[in-house]
Structures are given as C-alpha cells and as structure tokens.
Amino acid sequence: MKTIEFDICGQICPSALLTALKEINRHKGQLKQGECELVILTDARDATRTIPSAVENMGYQVDISKKSGCYLIRIFTR
Amino acid sequence: MVGMLRDLFMFRQGTMLRFLVIQLGVTLLLLELLRLGGGLSYDPPPLMKTANLSSVVGGVVFGFGMVLTGSCVVGCLYKTGAGNVLGLCAFIFMIAGATLYAEMAPWWKHVTEHWNLTQQVTVYHSFGIPSWWLTLPLLVVWLWRVHAWKREKKLVVAAVAEGYIQPWKTAVGLAGVTVLLCVFTGMPMGITTMYVKMGAWVEQLVIPEHVAATSYFVGKGLNYIPPLTDQMVSGGAGPGLDAIAALQLSVILGILTGAFLSAKRVGEFHWVYRVPKSQYLFSASGGLLVGLGARMAPGCNVWHMMGGVPFLAWNSFLFVLGLLPGVWLGSKVLLSRMS
C-alpha cells in the first residue's frame, strides 16, 4: 500500500481541517480501494479532534500517534 | 471559543458550544450567590456601559474577523505562547486594529451617541427587579439541560492530544477565575484596552506628539476604588502604566507564559512559519478586524460572553446578537476561499 504524507504543521483550524479534507477528496479513489493511506503531520492540537471526527463520518479509519512534538494522523480503509 | 461558534455555521456541529453553556451557567450561579451574600463590590462592574447599538456593529466586525483569523483575543495569545506564528501574526494585527480605532474613536462616538437603548447597564436594573428573579429560572433550565447532556454522555470529548483537559473542567475553571476577578478587582476579565496601550507604546516611540494629541489616548475611562482597598485608581488607553495595565497586562503575560510552559511540558513548542501565504493574509486581515471590532463594541468576546452575559448586561447580549451573523459571514467567506 502506498503512503502519501503531507505536512500541515503551522496551520490552525479550520484551515488545517479544510486542507486535510481537500487532500482526502483528491485521493478518495485510491483511499476507498485501499490502494493508499494518507498520513497528515500536524501540530494543531485542535486538529487531532476535528480531523478524525470528520474523517470517521466519511467512513474512513483513523489512527493517531505522536512524533517529535507533532501528531501523525493516519487515514486508511480497512 | 472561535471553534465553538464557527463550527456551528461551518460544519453544523454544536458539540463544543455545550461547554460555553456550562461556563455561563456556573458563572451565573456563582455571581448570584456572591451578590446575595454581599460579596460583589460593584454591580454592574466598572467599564460595563449602558445599552448601545454600537455593540451589535462591533460584534459583527469582531465575529467576522475572528473566523478569518482563527483566533479571538485570547486564542491568539495561547497560540503565540505555544509557538504558532499565525497566532503571533493575529496578535500583532489585533494590536494594530485596536490602535487604529484610536484614530476613529471621536467619529464613532459621534455616530453612536444617539444609539442608546436604555440608560441602564443590566436587564434587571432596567426592570427594577432583584437579579435572582431572572437568574433562578435561567438556572433551572440550565440545570435541566446539563443534566440531560450528562445522562446522554455528551460532556466528555474524545481526544488524544497529550495533556488534553476535558472542556467541562476548563469551563468550570474559567467560571471560577471570572468570579474571583469580580471579587478582587471588581470586574470580569478583559484585555483589549491593553492592546490599544501596546499600540500606543509603539506610536509613542515614533510619533509622541501625535499620541499626546489623540483624545482616545489621553482619556481615562476607568476611575474607581478597587475592592479591599480605599485608594482611587484610574486608567485608560494611553501609553502610561496605570490601572488598566495592572489589570490587563498581567492577564496577557499570564496566558503567554502558561501556554509556553504547557507546550514545553508536552514537547510541542516550536516555531513554524512555512504556511500558505493566504493563511497569513486571513490571519492579518481578520486580526485587524478583531482589534477594531473589540474597541467599537466596546469589549471582546471574553469580556462580553464570559463576564457580561452572566451579569445579564444589555451590551453583552447586543454584542452576541452581532457576533453570530459576523461568524456566519466569516464562515461563508472562508469556505468559499478554501474551496
């Protein structure tokens, strides 16, 4: 499975959420087929609540971890 | 607070608004108990003005700017303290907006001088009734609603951010801080006059003669004897270190320091400036409007919503009346620009 990473560190909500949603829509074909997963790197604490909430409502799986003071939000389809 | 209101219009989500309701209810309850117990030295507090429609206009400008910049006057401080450059940009432009108001203050005062709705500050003073006649039924409805949320398990937010404090705890804590400030300083939290002061400090370095000639900088809007003291103090928007500086600069420095220490503790402090240019533009233009709106109202979301509404102050309800369409408009603009 291909991993597509994008870094939105420095951005705050709602821009962080809207940027993430834009990327998800751009790759939704591959995401739905399970051909890729998206990894969003963010330092916006608010985004660790808003992005998973929005993404789960769209039917994707979400996994969050912390690395070097930033949060990695992994979005994928099982 | 920005997210609470913005998400309502932008994503049709009112989850976080529950915690604003909790904060308002707890403050209303504690203030009423304090009032009945004779613990309120000032009711209404100094700096709370009589009802004037300028608060609606200020609320619209403030709400619109708040959504564009992504922060309110307090939000930009804790973001700056945690190293967020967009927060710092918003903070600087809020100071610029508030300082810009000093130039238009005589004109705005002239325009709004006939916009008074009543000569009273609070709703219960207007009707000449004891405050508990209004607060009691409000608190009954509030208790019923909060109890329902608790039963439906809607008061706990799922969060993974390290060190996350559940919002209901923050709401209760902020209500406590508001009431303590009323006991010890005679008024709730407010910080935007200090933003003008900071702008005046910069102007004082560059064009001191202009500062001396600007009526808004010369005036002393605050003249009162603080609780537990017997000495008259005064303060205004000018560059002097006066009572306003003592009350508000301490809050600003406290929020910056607290946010910095908190971010350091969880290892999340870092400066990141590489964000899309459009976000700097939103942050700057929104910040300018927030600073301007906060002075036109006069008062920011913290002053009006965390302090004025629980005091049942007319101007604070008018501010909220303007804030909501402002937030709606800001959400529409942001969504259209982002798409």
Side-chain angles (χ1 to χ4, degrees):
Chain A
M1 189 195 291
K2 192 166 70 172
T3 299
I4 303 168
E5 285 187 22
F6 57 100
D7 183 344
I8 56 168
C9 282
Q11 297 192 32
I12 55 174
C13 273
S15 301
L17 172 61
L18 293 173
T19 308
L21 292 178
K22 202 187 273 185
E23 291 300 322
I24 291 162
N25 279 334
R26 204 150 64 93
H27 297 96
K28 71 177 175 190
Q30 288 172 286
L31 265 174
K32 290 278 184 199
Q33 296 298 319
E35 292 168 3
C36 80
E37 63 173 19
L38 292 184
V39 177
I40 303 164
L41 183 66
T42 178
D43 59 355
R45 293 170 64 83
D46 216 17
T48 62
R49 183 181 56 80
T50 56
I51 294 176
S53 166
V55 165
E56 279 168 352
N57 283 338
M58 294 161 81
Y60 299 110
Q61 305 286 313
V62 184
D63 172 61
I64 306 176
S65 55
K66 193 173 178 184
K67 185 184 169 190
S68 308
C70 290
Y71 292 93
L72 289 169
I73 304 175
R74 192 166 70 91
I75 299 160
F76 56 99
T77 311
R78 234 185 262 280
Chain B
M1 196 179 287
V2 182
M4 288 176 183
L5 297 166
R6 178 199 61 215
D7 291 355
L8 189 66
F9 295 109
M10 210 172 223
F11 307 115
R12 302 273 184 272
Q13 278 188 2
T15 313
M16 298 304 281
L17 264 181
R18 288 182 201 126
F19 306 108
L20 178 62
V21 174
I22 289 178
Q23 189 269 330
L24 290 175
V26 176
T27 312
L28 189 72
L29 172 67
L30 294 177
L31 281 177
E32 190 55 53
L33 291 175
L34 201 62
R35 192 182 282 118
L36 292 172
L40 268 186
S41 305
Y42 289 94
D43 185 19
L47 296 180
M48 271 189 194
K49 314 272 186 202
T50 53
N52 187 289
L53 287 173
S54 60
S55 293
V56 180
V57 182
V60 173
V61 175
F62 189 97
F64 182 67
M66 183 170 90
V67 174
L68 292 193
T69 197
S71 303
C72 68
V73 292
V74 167
C76 72
L77 292 177
Y78 70 71
K79 286 184 181 112
T80 302
N84 186 279
V85 179
L86 285 176
L88 177 63
C89 175
F91 179 36
I92 291 168
F93 278 87
M94 280 178 201
I95 291 173
T99 312
L100 184 66
Y101 175 77
E103 306 303 321
M104 61 175 267
W107 168 78
W108 184 241
K109 198 175 173 186
H110 175 70
V111 168
T112 59
E113 65 186 348
H114 299 300
W115 290 7
N116 278 333
L117 294 182
T118 146
Q119 290 306 310
Q120 297 294 340
V121 175
T122 67
V123 178
Y124 49 92
H125 281 117
S126 287
F127 293 114
I129 54 173
S131 57
W132 64 266
W133 283 22
L134 296 174
T135 54
L136 193 63
L138 283 172
L139 284 170
V140 169
V141 175
W142 176 80
L143 266 176
W144 165 75
R145 197 56 260 174
V146 172
H147 179 67
W149 285 334
K150 189 169 182 295
R151 205 178 49 226
E152 294 158 13
K153 297 186 172 28
K154 287 182 172 173
L155 294 181
V156 177
V157 174
V160 293
E162 191 181 346
Y164 187 85
I165 301 171
Q166 282 298 322
W168 73 264
K169 293 181 184 172
T170 314
V172 173
L174 283 172
V177 169
T178 303
V179 174
L180 281 177
L181 281 170
C182 290
V183 171
F184 291 106
T185 71
M187 63 187 101
M189 196 191 302
I191 54 174
T192 46
T193 310
M194 193 60 224
Y195 280 34
V196 191
K197 244 180 190 341
M198 290 175 174
W201 287 346
V202 177
E203 281 197 19
Q204 181 80 351
L205 292 173
V206 188
I207 39 173
E209 62 286 351
H210 178 72
V211 173
T214 304
S215 59
Y216 193 69
F217 290 141
V218 177
K220 297 279 182 193
L222 179 67
N223 294 286
Y224 84 126
I225 300 170
L228 314 176
T229 71
D230 54 5
Q231 195 178 342
M232 173 72 92
V233 297
S234 63
L241 282 174
D242 52 20
I244 291 283
L247 287 166
Q248 301 191 356
L249 185 59
S250 50
V251 175
I252 291 173
L253 293 177
I255 294 170
L256 286 170
T257 311
F260 171 74
L261 294 176
S262 177
K264 275 284 188 192
R265 192 180 70 84
V266 293
E268 294 178 16
F269 180 89
H270 46 240
W271 292 103
V272 180
Y273 60 90
R274 280 184 192 157
V275 292
K277 286 189 184 79
S278 61
Q279 292 192 23
Y280 278 111
L281 189 67
F282 280 131
S283 185
S285 55
L288 204 67
L289 290 173
V290 165
L292 198 62
R295 292 295 81 211
M296 288 168 76
C300 61
N301 60 326
V302 173
W303 172 263
H304 283 300
M305 292 179 78
M306 284 169 55
V309 169
F311 262 102
L312 306 179
W314 283 115
N315 261 352
S316 298
F317 290 116
L318 294 175
F319 179 82
V320 175
L321 199 67
L323 189 75
L324 295 176
V327 170
W328 172 80
L329 198 61
S331 303
K332 290 280 171 200
V333 169
L334 204 58
L335 273 178
S336 67
R337 295 299 302 163
M338 290 299 289
S339 61

